[in-house]
Amino acid sequence: MAMERIYYFADSIIRLVYVNLLAILFSLLGFVVFGFFPAIVATFFIIKKWLTGFSDIHITKHFWKIFKKELIRSNLLGWLLTLIGLFLYINMSIAEVIGHSIVQYSYYPIVIVFSILICLCLFVMPIYVYYSVSIFATIRNAFFLLFVHPLNTLFMLAVTVLFFLFIRMIPGFFPIIGISGFAMIIMWFSLRTFERVDHMQKEENKVVN
């Protein structure tokens, strides 16, 4: 039993390292600007498959398939959120340095909106690979899911922050497990929230019937 667990753990780590390598290579394939977001989507897709019981899928084949399929749509979503984030960050920076009181009063609302956007982005990719909805529905649902299971969301944020602190302390781990490890954390917690949503929907159907 102990040897089986060691083998399973070692196999999981090797697969995460391999997916992380694919994410980096495919990002470079799209010159990063166009390759990063479809590579991230493909990474989340593979992780979702593993966590939902499909651990024997052909990794490279599915990664390439999702990368090609989601090349345009994932870039539209990714760059939309990136531009919104940049807009908020620039306005936040301006409000922080300008001495005018009215401008400074806008700093805290912008910080709140920016923080919500960061949290919202954690749910975007899991929703993208789990549900077949439009880009705007993905963003809207990501916002609502922040509050469906708030304790789970807080745990996800805490573990994500710890993971990034770890990567920051030991940067050498980023090319090894930085992207796939992040995707594993986010997808695992997101599936817990999706289960809560499914349970709520079943309860509502019982009441209606």
Side-chain angles (χ1 to χ4, degrees), residues 43-60:
T43 300
F44 271 87
F45 177 84
I46 297 296
I47 299 296
K48 183 206 75 171
K49 284 291 186 180
W50 289 347
L51 293 177
T52 52
F54 298 92
S55 58
D56 58 344
I57 63 170
H58 193 292
I59 298 174
T60 308

Side-chain angles (χ1 to χ4, degrees), residues 163-179:
F163 179 76
F164 277 111
L165 289 175
F166 171 75
I167 294 296
R168 186 176 180 180
M169 287 189 297
I170 313 176
F173 272 95
F174 179 79
I176 298 174
I177 203 172
I179 299 173

Side-chain angles (χ1 to χ4, degrees), residues 26-42 62-79 125 128 135:
F26 276 80
S27 293
L28 295 175
L29 181 65
F31 304 103
V32 180
V33 174
F34 301 109
F36 177 74
F37 292 114
I40 292 297
V41 168
H62 280 83
F63 200 102
W64 172 237
K65 178 181 177 182
I66 298 301
F67 182 89
K68 290 190 300 180
K69 179 183 177 183
E70 303 298 338
L71 181 63
I72 296 176
R73 188 165 174 261
S74 63
N75 272 303
L76 289 174
L77 174 60
W79 283 110
M125 286 302 166
Y128 189 100
I135 288 176

Side-chain angles (χ1 to χ4, degrees), residues 7-158:
Y7 173 79
Y8 178 78
F9 177 77
D11 181 62
S12 299
I13 295 298
I14 291 171
R15 288 190 296 172
L16 283 174
V17 172
Y18 182 62
V19 171
N20 199 78
L21 178 62
L22 288 178
I24 294 172
L25 290 177
F26 276 80
S27 293
L28 295 175
L29 181 65
F31 304 103
V32 180
V33 174
F34 301 109
F36 177 74
F37 292 114
I40 292 297
V41 168
T43 300
F44 271 87
F45 177 84
I46 297 296
I47 299 296
K48 183 206 75 171
K49 284 291 186 180
W50 289 347
L51 293 177
T52 52
F54 298 92
S55 58
D56 58 344
I57 63 170
H58 193 292
I59 298 174
T60 308
K61 177 182 177 181
H62 280 83
F63 200 102
W64 172 237
K65 178 181 177 182
I66 298 301
F67 182 89
K68 290 190 300 180
K69 179 183 177 183
E70 303 298 338
L71 181 63
I72 296 176
R73 188 165 174 261
S74 63
N75 272 303
L76 289 174
L77 174 60
W79 283 110
L80 173 63
L81 292 172
T82 299
L83 291 174
I84 293 173
L86 285 173
F87 174 78
L88 290 172
Y89 180 77
I90 291 170
N91 280 272
M92 185 171 60
S93 300
I94 293 173
E96 189 176 14
V97 298
I98 291 181
H100 198 285
S101 59
I102 295 178
V103 177
Q104 286 185 331
Y105 286 143
S106 68
Y107 174 76
Y108 295 104
I110 296 174
V111 169
I112 293 172
V113 174
F114 184 74
S115 299
I116 292 174
L117 177 68
I118 296 298
C119 296
L120 176 151
C121 286
L122 295 178
F123 276 112
V124 165
M125 286 302 166
I127 291 173
Y128 189 100
V129 300
Y130 196 84
Y131 298 105
S132 298
V133 294
S134 67
I135 288 176
F136 291 105
T138 299
I139 297 173
R140 183 188 66 236
N141 292 340
F143 175 77
F144 289 133
L145 285 179
L146 289 174
F147 310 101
V148 168
H149 199 340
L151 186 61
N152 188 66
T153 301
L154 288 175
F155 279 131
M156 179 170 66
L157 286 170

